[in-house]
Amino acid sequence: MTEAAQQSRAASRSQASHSGSADDEIDLGYLLAICLDNRWLIIGVTLLVTLLGAAYAWLATPEYRADALLQVEQRANNLGSLDMALLGQETTQSTTQSEILRSRMIMGQAAQQAGLDLVVRPNYFPVIGAALVRRGTERPGWAQGGPHAWAGDSINVGELLIEQALQGQPLTLKVTGPTSYTLSNQDGEQLGNGQVGEWLRLDQPYVELLVERIAAPNDVEFTLIKRSETQMIRYLQSRFAVNQRGRDTGILELTLTGPNPQEIQRSLNAIADVYLVQNINRQAAEAESRLEFLEQQTPLIQDDLNSAESRLNDYRATQDSVDLDFETRSMLERLVELEGELNALQIQESELAQRFTPSHPSYQALIEKRRQLVGERNRLEQQVDTLPETQRQVLRLNRDVEVSQQIYMQMLNATQELRIARAGTVGNVRILDNALVSNNPIAPRTNLIIVISLMAGLMLGLMVVLVRHMLHRGVTSVEELQALGLQVYATVPLSEKQQKLFDRFTAHKTRKRFSRVLGKHLGDKVSGPLSRRRHSRSEGGVLAVLDPSDLAIEALRSLRTSLHFAMLEANNNRLMLTGPSPAVGKSFISTNLAAICAQGGQRVLLIDADMRKGHIHRSFNGVSEQGLSDFLVGDTPRDQVIRHTELETLDYIARGTAPPNPSELLMTKRFSEFLDSVGQEYDLVIIDTPPALAVTDAAVVGKQVGATLMITRFRENNPKEIERALQQLESAGVIVKGCILNAIERSASAYYGYGYGYGYYHYAYKSDDQ
């Protein structure tokens, strides 16, 4: 190819690169086509994930929920309590009571009362054992004598006392007889032997265990755990929840979840009972404290009342029984009323000061109300000052008496109420509904899990297909190859019959390697029959001979026509076929192209120059020995390496024994002279070489041929990979005349084009035996 042609190809590649980078649009039709082409992979991943979800739902331990209802009543205000309605608020204690319910005080007592300190857990068969036991599976025959528990196996432990260092650590109880057992620690060290109904007492470490019943065969193991108080509380708190029903209703819904319905029902009832008892005790203690305060203050208030009455009587006696007129009496009643309201506000202010700052709206409302009452009292005081001296003194003395008497009566009433409350304290909490466990578990929700698994599997399948496509996006159209400056000589469809021949060849290689491994470890008696199976039937075949009407062969016939004109411009009659990577179909194209040319009347020689992994000899049911490598090293003469086929005008040369230095052998003068001699004897010499990106053999051979064709595989080789192979060949002075797009499949994505990224490609290409 001329230098101008090389420059033209480079310009085409540059233009293709710019156009590919500019085309950043997402073609939804192309993505849909990719998914349709890989529908079985998507379906497989979806089914796999769905089955995993169903297995999880089947194996997961069911979770149950128990619920109960409590009512927290508004507490009646006694003397000294704050009337929040006066301040524009209502006391709602639901949030406070919720936190009290979650406290360690309540949880600790409830856990002890429900017996959560002791855990007795059977050792089930791994993974599926618990699920089988839940479904009533009894001990199968193969599990006889094993350590795993099955349906019907249980023990009753009355009491377990251990030292603090062993709390939270598992102890293993192994049944040794109908009424006997052994106890071991978590390290497997046996601690002691015990009997049913008798205490097992150990000193080092300290253990006291009472087993009341054993209903399990010998060797079955159970795990015993003595929880610490902290572990019990954390275990209960993690599964406990409190929610308020409605707004300001004071109705609390308690819920507790867990795998054991009896345990969570017992635990939730214990929480409600402990909370109710502590509430009653607190109410009783509060009533007792207030009653003590009132009993201390009542005598003092009574003394003040007696003192005020004495002063009033003495004054009336000295003034000869002065009576108040109607207007003065009204002023007196209003003053007494104001003093009572101011005293109540003073008590409320002392309570507010413990909860809020003076800037709080409730505190500001109280200050404003007190300011109004004080202003009204000052106005009345000014009116009192205008009265005659006698009337004024009598009014003030009467006011002191009535105010003291009012306070004294309130104290007596409050004392009596508190004595009654102390005698029949019921608290402000009551249990509306005891704990009840639903018959159906709340988890796992099998239907929901399966639906989610189905959707997740579908998404994962789509993701796998799209990611795989993005990481390896092979050419799917002639235009992509032409954009690289390559002339496409033929597009060869995928042949189903050739695929079967390839599968047979692959199976043969697998049997051969398997028999080699067996022969190495087990001897020839086992490996011999397997290795001889390869001779039982033909493993090869040339598709052009077996099925000349195959679509792939028809495509190669069009290639023969195009190749005829291409070879006219070549300086010799040698044609090299290579590819960018392994498994692109070079041997298939080379063999069948040679057969078609031979059928057309040409004398054709097919040379397998892939001395590492070449397998052209299998297409003719031959062997690899005495081939090209043997001739180049001088072990086999030229006439013996050329083999005849069933086609009279087609000969071939096998690869020969795998040499350690194939590239060096191809660079020898002997190989060049050999090509010159066979070129004069045959009309066409076709050379099959290794992949260009794997080894340098193709670059060595390409310098001695008249034309080179690049074999690319549909959806396997991406443009950057092909471009890299072309650059590697051109850097060695080999100009690729054109390419062949092989193994085109009927797929939806074949109708779309897309942009491709760049990557680094490396292929391992080691020699293998026949």
Side-chain angles (χ1 to χ4, degrees):
M1 183 176 291
T2 63
E3 183 178 354
Q6 296 183 29
Q7 294 177 354
S8 175
R9 177 177 294 180
S12 299
R13 294 177 189 169
S14 177
Q15 182 179 0
S17 176
H18 287 296
S19 63
S21 61
D23 186 13
D24 294 332
E25 296 182 359
I26 298 177
D27 192 337
L28 296 180
Y30 180 72
L31 296 180
L32 179 60
I34 291 295
C35 296
L36 289 176
D37 292 340
N38 295 271
R39 58 187 177 275
W40 292 114
L41 175 59
I42 296 174
I43 292 174
V45 173
T46 302
L47 289 178
L48 177 61
V49 175
T50 304
L51 289 176
L52 291 177
Y56 167 77
W58 190 82
L59 293 173
T61 302
E63 289 283 332
Y64 295 86
R65 182 177 67 180
D67 57 75
L69 281 183
L70 295 181
Q71 180 185 10
V72 181
E73 298 176 340
Q74 180 80 25
R75 196 183 313 173
N77 292 326
N78 294 320
L79 181 66
S81 65
L82 177 62
D83 186 5
M84 297 300 291
L86 176 66
L87 305 178
Q89 296 184 359
E90 296 182 358
T91 56
T92 302
Q93 309 229 348
S94 299
T95 303
T96 303
Q97 302 304 324
S98 298
E99 295 302 321
I100 294 175
L101 280 164
R102 295 189 185 93
S103 65
R104 292 194 297 269
M105 175 186 67
I106 301 297
M107 291 295 171
Q109 296 181 29
Q112 288 287 354
Q113 185 173 324
L116 299 182
D117 58 331
L118 178 60
V119 179
V120 180
R121 182 185 305 128
N123 292 345
Y124 295 123
F125 191 81
V127 183
I128 63 174
L132 293 175
V133 171
R134 285 195 301 270
R135 289 160 177 83
T137 304
E138 298 182 353
R139 183 180 304 275
W142 55 267
Q144 296 294 335
H148 302 113
W150 294 85
D153 298 342
S154 63
I155 61 173
N156 286 348
V157 178
E159 188 66 46
L160 175 62
L161 303 175
I162 60 176
E163 62 185 28
Q164 187 174 2
L166 291 179
Q167 289 183 351
Q169 297 184 7
L171 301 176
T172 301
L173 187 149
K174 183 177 181 180
V175 178
T176 58
T179 60
S180 60
Y181 61 89
T182 61
L183 188 67
S184 306
N185 59 18
Q186 61 179 351
D187 298 327
E189 179 183 354
Q190 184 172 328
L191 301 179
N193 301 317
Q195 294 289 327
V196 173
E198 299 179 2
W199 281 93
L200 172 62
R201 291 184 170 89
L202 304 174
D203 295 331
Q204 293 296 330
Y206 168 70
V207 176
E208 291 189 9
L209 174 62
L210 176 61
V211 178
E212 298 177 344
R213 184 181 64 88
I214 293 179
N218 293 352
D219 298 328
V220 175
E221 296 180 352
F222 296 85
T223 299
L224 308 182
I225 300 177
K226 184 72 172 181
R227 292 192 180 111
S228 64
E229 183 177 4
T230 301
Q231 289 174 331
M232 288 190 299
I233 293 173
R234 294 288 180 258
Y235 174 74
L236 204 55
Q237 285 178 333
S238 64
R239 300 180 294 118
F240 177 70
V242 183
N243 297 300
Q244 182 177 352
R245 282 194 175 182
R247 181 178 180 182
D248 299 332
T249 60
I251 305 297
L252 300 180
E253 181 181 18
L254 315 183
T255 57
L256 186 65
T257 59
N260 190 328
Q262 293 78 20
E263 177 187 286
I264 61 176
Q265 184 176 20
R266 184 171 64 251
S267 300
L268 191 58
N269 280 329
I271 293 175
D273 292 340
V274 170
Y275 173 67
L276 180 62
V277 170
Q278 73 83 27
N279 182 265
I280 293 175
N281 292 338
R282 183 174 180 275
Q283 296 289 345
E286 183 179 354
E288 185 68 28
S289 175
R290 289 187 175 185
L291 182 60
E292 181 180 358
F293 172 76
L294 291 177
E295 289 178 345
Q296 292 176 355
Q297 295 296 321
T298 301
L300 300 178
I301 300 299
Q302 186 177 11
D303 291 342
D304 292 341
L305 175 60
N306 294 334
S307 176
E309 290 179 345
S310 298
R311 290 196 301 274
L312 176 61
N313 293 332
D314 291 343
Y315 186 78
R316 281 185 171 179
T318 56
Q319 297 297 328
D320 198 13
S321 183
V322 178
D323 293 329
L324 299 176
D325 55 21
F326 177 78
E327 183 179 356
T328 306
R329 172 65 63 179
S330 299
M331 294 175 60
L332 174 62
E333 292 176 356
R334 182 54 184 162
L335 283 172
V336 171
E337 183 179 351
L338 289 175
E339 290 293 341
E341 292 180 4
L342 287 173
N343 288 333
L345 288 179
Q346 183 177 1
I347 297 175
Q348 293 173 11
E349 184 178 4
S350 63
E351 293 187 7
L352 275 180
Q354 299 176 3
R355 301 174 57 187
F356 307 116
T357 62
S359 60
H360 191 272
S362 300
Y363 207 121
Q364 290 293 321
L366 184 143
I367 294 175
E368 178 62 23
K369 186 171 183 61
R370 186 181 61 182
R371 186 183 61 79
Q372 294 175 1
L373 294 178
V374 170
E376 185 177 356
R377 186 186 63 180
N378 292 336
R379 287 194 298 273
L380 289 176
E381 289 286 353
Q382 293 176 359
Q383 294 181 13
V384 170
D385 291 339
T386 60
L387 295 175
E389 177 65 22
T390 302
Q391 292 287 331
R392 186 168 63 249
Q393 290 297 331
V394 170
L395 186 145
R396 289 175 175 171
L397 291 174
N398 273 283
R399 181 188 63 183
D400 293 340
V401 170
E402 292 188 14
V403 170
S404 299
Q405 187 176 12
Q406 186 181 43
I407 296 175
Y408 179 68
M409 293 303 299
Q410 290 178 350
M411 296 286 284
L412 291 179
N413 291 335
T415 302
Q416 189 64 27
E417 291 176 359
L418 288 174
R419 286 174 178 170
I420 296 174
R422 183 183 61 177
T425 302
V426 294
N428 67 324
V429 173
R430 64 170 177 164
I431 300 176
L432 299 180
D433 292 331
N434 289 318
L436 181 64
V437 182
S438 58
N439 295 327
N440 298 323
I442 60 173
R445 300 174 62 182
T446 304
N447 294 335
L448 180 61
I449 290 176
I450 292 178
V451 171
I452 293 177
S453 301
L454 181 64
M455 297 176 62
L458 180 60
M459 296 297 295
L460 181 61
L462 293 172
M463 186 181 302
V464 169
V465 168
L466 295 178
V467 170
R468 189 181 68 168
H469 172 69
M470 293 182 65
L471 294 178
H472 189 77
R473 297 175 289 190
V475 293
T476 58
S477 65
V478 173
E479 289 74 13
E480 297 177 48
L481 295 171
Q482 292 175 342
L484 297 174
L486 286 173
Q487 180 180 353
V488 180
Y489 278 79
T491 56
V492 182
L494 180 65
S495 172
E496 295 182 0
K497 182 168 293 188
Q498 180 64 26
Q499 188 68 30
K500 292 179 181 179
L501 294 175
F502 178 77
D503 293 340
R504 187 187 303 170
F505 166 67
T506 304
H508 165 75
K509 293 178 65 178
T510 302
R511 287 199 307 271
K512 180 184 64 177
R513 293 172 181 172
F514 185 62
S515 64
R516 187 185 304 132
V517 173
L518 288 181
K520 181 179 179 181
H521 295 281
L522 302 179
D524 295 336
K525 291 183 179 181
V526 177
S527 63
L530 289 174
S531 62
R532 286 193 295 271
R533 283 193 59 191
R534 64 181 178 178
H535 302 295
S536 61
R537 62 177 182 173
S538 175
E539 298 289 352
V542 180
L543 184 62
V545 177
L546 297 176
D547 188 4
S549 62
D550 191 273
L551 292 178
I553 301 304
E554 292 295 338
L556 289 177
R557 287 193 178 96
S558 65
L559 171 63
R560 179 185 60 184
T561 304
S562 302
L563 189 62
H564 172 74
F565 296 101
M567 295 300 294
L568 294 177
E569 303 175 0
N571 54 10
N572 57 51
N573 62 348
R574 306 165 203 162
L575 172 66
M576 183 183 76
L577 298 180
T578 187
S581 63
V584 297
K586 298 184 289 74
S587 299
F588 166 73
I589 298 294
S590 301
T591 304
N592 287 277
L593 178 61
I596 291 173
C597 292
Q599 290 172 346
Q602 292 181 292
R603 285 184 52 81
V604 181
L605 176 64
L606 176 62
I607 301 176
D608 191 350
D610 187 352
M611 291 181 283
R612 294 175 177 83
K613 303 181 69 173
H615 55 269
I616 285 180
H617 59 279
R618 296 194 181 280
S619 299
F620 302 99
N621 297 320
V623 295
S624 62
E625 288 79 6
Q626 294 185 348
L628 180 63
S629 63
D630 301 292
F631 168 75
L632 294 179
V633 297
D635 292 341
T636 305
R638 175 181 179 276
D639 295 338
Q640 293 184 13
V641 299
I642 298 178
R643 306 175 187 179
H644 302 291
T645 68
E646 57 183 309
L647 295 177
E648 184 178 353
T649 58
L650 174 61
D651 296 335
Y652 79 97
I653 299 177
R655 74 182 191 194
T657 305
N661 55 345
S663 300
E664 285 75 6
L665 291 179
L666 295 174
M667 297 174 65
T668 60
K669 184 178 180 181
R670 185 178 177 87
F671 180 63
S672 300
E673 293 175 349
F674 172 73
L675 291 180
D676 292 337
S677 63
V678 297
Q680 296 175 3
E681 299 176 11
Y682 292 90
D683 298 325
L684 178 63
V685 178
I686 300 177
I687 306 175
D688 182 16
T689 61
L693 289 179
V695 289
T696 61
D697 296 20
V700 174
V701 177
K703 295 180 180 180
Q704 305 187 55
V705 300
T708 298
L709 293 182
M710 176 79 69
I711 311 298
T712 59
R713 190 175 180 92
F714 179 79
R715 268 205 254 167
E716 289 294 330
N717 304 118
N718 64 55
K720 290 300 179 181
E721 184 180 20
I722 298 172
E723 185 177 7
R724 183 176 178 84
L726 292 174
Q727 292 174 352
Q728 186 163 325
L729 289 174
E730 291 176 357
S731 63
V734 179
I735 304 302
V736 178
K737 196 170 189 65
C739 69
I740 301 171
L741 182 58
N742 185 33
I744 297 179
E745 302 177 28
R746 292 183 179 181
S747 62
S749 60
Y751 297 99
Y752 292 87
Y754 207 67
Y756 298 87
Y758 180 79
Y760 177 74
Y761 305 97
H762 171 73
Y763 300 96
Y765 202 75
K766 300 179 180 179
S767 300
D768 60 5
D769 297 331
Q770 179 180 351

